[in-house]
């Protein structure tokens, strides 16, 4: 069964780019356009990995992360931060990786493959 | 609670973190932002010749120079100014700390937001906040928020406030500010005390007795002041105080740390920035508010 990845980003272009990239490499994807919506989707879909933007209109990435880290079913889900902000590795120190946009697709795929196969 | 925010900025990248927090707070809580910039320090009293605060060059202040500085600030913060309802740019010349305090008073600001230092000097970045912050934090009538690292975990709204206390008289004003902010912004509040065991070798029973004692003291000191506010918890850890304050803030994903400006000196006019506060400001991953005077809490 293919692994499921939740993509959280407020930019439609990035969401579809990531869906396509990960989909082409055999992963199933679901998307959310901000942190508030993403909590519900994460609870319903139980993804194997999450890619997370930081700056979003309603609920920002770090607040989403705080919520899922209090949820027993989700707290161990690996998170890859993908953001345009600088020095983002400090925003979510427990993320498995932090990528700054624009990023190399090969680099993301390697991180995802190393984390969930 | 935050109706008017004075963003004191040199326009340098070291103040971008402060700007991000100030504008985002204004957007969320409907506040007005006054972008305040001290262009230069007069070479002599009332002189038109000033040393530009960023380049250090001697410059004659005329309309052209003023317009250029304003234009620079406008373009630096263009997107952020557009994102809030009320914002204005105010520039002046003079000694930065004195002008910031004067502007805060004139504008009746509820909060001053600034970076810890504008210099790139490694001594400042590593160990000490700049002299402007030291002077402003000491004399300001309103709370002063410092955002030193742009990584600040305040990413859209406050949700969790850590109030660190050493049980000093001065911590009472900081507590009031922390409680009022938590109530008004709907946050969780953590009351924290770090039991200072640096440089000591203590029996573990003695440490744990002191931890129990400190917890009881927090409950007795602040419990009766909580009113109907229930979203608080109490933590006491042992260690080096500034390290522990930064650690609990990180563990709780706190968006704000509130501390008293100082603890030892009772006369606020004489007190310098406490050494714990100094280190917390430089190291915290979120904005730090120091409260010196009770007027605006």
């Amino acid at each position: 069964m293919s692994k499921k990845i939740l993509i959280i980003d407020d930019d439609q272009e990035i969401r579809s780019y990531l869906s396509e990239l990960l989909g082409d490499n055999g992963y199933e994807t679901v998307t959310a356009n901000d942190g508030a919506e993403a909590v519900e989707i994460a609870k319903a879909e139980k993804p194997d990995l999450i890619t997370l933007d930081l700056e979003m209109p309603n609920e920002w990435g770090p607040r989403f992360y705080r919520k899922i880290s209090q949820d027993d079913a989700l707290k161990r889900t690996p998170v890859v931060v993908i953001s345009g902000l600088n020095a983002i590795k400090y925003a979510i120190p427990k993320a498995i990786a932090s990528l700054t946009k624009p990023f190399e697709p090969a680099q993301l795929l390697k991180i995802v493959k190393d984390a969930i196969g | 609670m935050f109706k008017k925010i004075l963003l004191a900025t040199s326009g340098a990248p070291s103040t971008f973190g402060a700007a991000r927090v100030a504008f985002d707070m204004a957007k969320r809580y409907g506040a007005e932002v006054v972008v305040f910039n001290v262009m230069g320090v007069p070479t002599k009293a009332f002189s038109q010749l000033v040393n530009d605060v960023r380049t250090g060059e001697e410059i004659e202040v005329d309309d052209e120079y003023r317009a250029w500085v304003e234009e620079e600030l406008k373009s630096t913060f263009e997107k952020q100014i557009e994102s809030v309802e009320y914002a204005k740019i105010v520039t002046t010349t003079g000694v930065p700390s004195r002008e910031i305090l004067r502007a805060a008073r004139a504008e009746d600001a509820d909060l001053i937001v600034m970076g810890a230092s504008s210099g790139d000097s490694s001594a400042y970045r590593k160990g000490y906040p700049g002299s402007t912050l030291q002077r402003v934090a000491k004399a300001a009538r309103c709370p002063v928020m410092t955002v030193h690292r742009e990584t600040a975990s305040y990413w859209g709204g406050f949700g969790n406030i850590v109030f660190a206390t050493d049980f000093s008289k001065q911590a009472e004003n900081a507590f009031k500010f922390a409680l009022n902010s938590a109530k008004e912004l709907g946050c969780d509040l953590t009351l924290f005390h770090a039991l200072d065991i640096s440089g000591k070798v203590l029996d573990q029973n003695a440490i744990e007795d002191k931890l129990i004692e400190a917890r009881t003291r927090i409950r007795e000191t602040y419990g009766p002041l909580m009113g109907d506010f229930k979203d608080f918890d109490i933590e006491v850890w042992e260690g080096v105080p500034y390290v522990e304050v930064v650690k609990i803030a990180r563990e709780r994903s706190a968006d704000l740390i509130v501390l008293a400006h100082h603890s030892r000196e009772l006369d606020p006019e004489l007190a310098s920035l406490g050494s714990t506060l100094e280190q917390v400001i430089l190291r915290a991953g979120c904005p730090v508010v120091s409260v010196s005077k009770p007027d605006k809490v």
Side-chain angles (χ1 to χ4, degrees):
Chain A
M1 202 176 85
S2 61
K3 297 280 171 74
K4 194 186 285 176
I5 298 176
L6 169 60
I7 298 160
I8 308 169
D9 202 302
D10 59 326
D11 186 337
Q12 168 62 36
E13 300 280 312
I14 300 272
R15 286 202 303 272
S16 47
Y17 172 71
L18 284 172
S19 290
E20 214 165 286
L21 174 72
L22 295 165
D24 287 351
N25 286 276
Y27 299 102
E28 192 186 329
T29 58
V30 277
T31 60
N33 65 14
D34 90 0
E37 184 188 298
V39 175
E40 301 307 315
I41 295 176
K43 282 183 180 163
E45 299 281 345
K46 303 274 180 301
D48 299 288
L49 183 138
I50 296 169
T51 75
L52 181 62
D53 188 15
L54 292 180
E55 196 175 7
M56 290 177 288
N58 295 319
E59 188 130 296
W60 288 37
R63 297 169 77 83
F64 163 79
Y65 186 77
R66 186 156 77 205
K67 283 190 183 152
I68 64 157
S69 36
Q70 287 159 359
D71 186 312
D72 285 340
L74 295 169
K75 65 183 179 191
R76 294 195 180 83
T77 311
V79 168
V80 179
V81 174
I82 301 178
S83 168
L85 292 168
N86 292 327
I88 52 169
K89 64 180 175 181
Y90 302 111
I92 298 177
K94 289 181 185 166
I96 59 164
S98 293
L99 301 179
T100 308
K101 294 172 189 169
F103 59 89
E104 282 297 321
Q107 192 189 359
L108 174 66
L109 288 172
K110 183 175 184 313
I111 292 164
V112 172
K113 191 164 190 308
D114 290 349
I116 57 172
Chain B
M1 158 153 219
F2 304 113
K3 290 203 174 60
K4 203 177 238 188
I5 298 171
L6 185 92
L7 168 67
T9 172
S10 61
S14 57
T15 65
F16 287 176
R20 183 161 59 75
V21 176
F23 280 106
D24 195 70
M25 277 176 72
K27 197 160 66 182
R28 269 167 211 278
Y29 308 123
E32 176 180 352
V33 182
V34 180
V35 179
F36 185 74
N37 174 262
V38 179
M39 297 180 280
V41 185
T43 47
K44 288 186 196 116
F46 303 111
S47 162
Q48 281 300 92
L49 281 181
V50 300
N51 286 322
D52 184 284
V53 284
R54 281 175 70 181
T55 60
E57 276 171 42
E58 202 164 277
I59 283 163
E60 190 175 343
V61 179
D62 51 17
D63 288 347
E64 198 187 329
Y65 179 66
R66 277 177 200 280
W68 176 77
V69 172
E70 270 184 32
E71 199 48 50
E72 279 283 292
L73 285 169
K74 225 177 258 170
S75 55
T76 305
F77 300 116
E78 191 182 359
K79 278 197 181 145
Q80 289 163 307
I81 289 173
E82 278 170 14
S83 73
V84 297
E85 214 164 317
Y86 315 101
K88 64 174 175 183
I89 294 176
V90 178
T91 57
T92 188
T93 57
V95 178
S97 56
R98 202 170 54 206
E99 297 307 324
I100 291 168
L101 289 166
R102 191 176 287 167
R105 211 166 41 230
E107 297 280 353
D108 195 22
D110 302 299
L111 186 72
I112 298 173
V113 183
M114 59 194 291
S117 65
S118 61
D120 291 328
S121 150
S122 59
Y124 278 134
R125 291 208 77 81
K126 280 182 198 145
Y128 312 97
S131 59
T132 303
L133 171 66
Q134 303 247 15
R135 291 185 191 128
V136 170
K138 175 177 171 173
R141 298 262 156 211
C142 62
V144 177
M145 178 183 281
T146 318
V147 185
H148 181 57
R149 294 166 66 207
E150 209 187 339
T151 54
S153 74
Y154 169 89
W155 303 95
F158 294 108
N160 205 341
I161 297 175
V162 168
F163 161 66
T165 179
D166 55 4
F167 301 112
S168 63
K169 179 94 185 89
Q170 290 76 6
E172 286 172 17
N173 298 333
F175 170 73
K176 270 187 213 148
F177 176 79
L179 178 63
N180 289 346
S181 309
K183 275 184 184 166
E184 191 138 329
L185 308 174
C187 301
D188 288 344
L189 176 63
T190 304
L191 306 175
F192 179 69
H193 174 69
L195 179 68
D196 190 358
I197 57 160
S198 45
K200 299 170 194 156
V201 178
L202 291 170
D203 167 37
Q204 191 59 28
N205 282 350
I207 293 177
E208 286 177 26
D209 284 345
K210 280 175 192 280
L211 293 179
I212 292 170
E213 202 180 295
R215 256 184 221 110
T216 311
R217 198 169 165 194
I218 292 191
R219 205 167 292 120
E220 285 172 358
T221 312
Y222 301 109
L225 306 173
M226 285 294 177
D228 53 2
F229 184 75
K230 297 275 176 266
D231 299 331
F232 71 95
D233 52 349
I234 293 169
E235 276 294 348
V236 181
W237 294 347
E238 73 277 33
V240 181
Y242 75 80
V243 177
E244 300 307 320
V245 174
V246 172
K247 269 160 66 178
I248 192 165
R250 193 170 55 214
E251 280 313 297
R252 297 279 162 111
S253 312
D255 313 293
L256 185 65
I257 299 174
V258 180
L259 286 164
H261 170 261
H262 59 274
S263 60
R264 293 222 174 91
E265 179 59 61
L266 279 173
D267 183 352
E269 300 307 318
L270 298 173
S272 55
L273 207 64
S275 56
T276 300
L277 171 61
E278 200 170 83
Q279 291 305 317
V280 170
I281 282 174
L282 297 175
R283 290 160 201 276
C286 64
V288 178
V289 163
S290 72
V291 182
S292 179
K293 307 238 162 85
D295 310 44
K296 281 258 183 185
V297 295

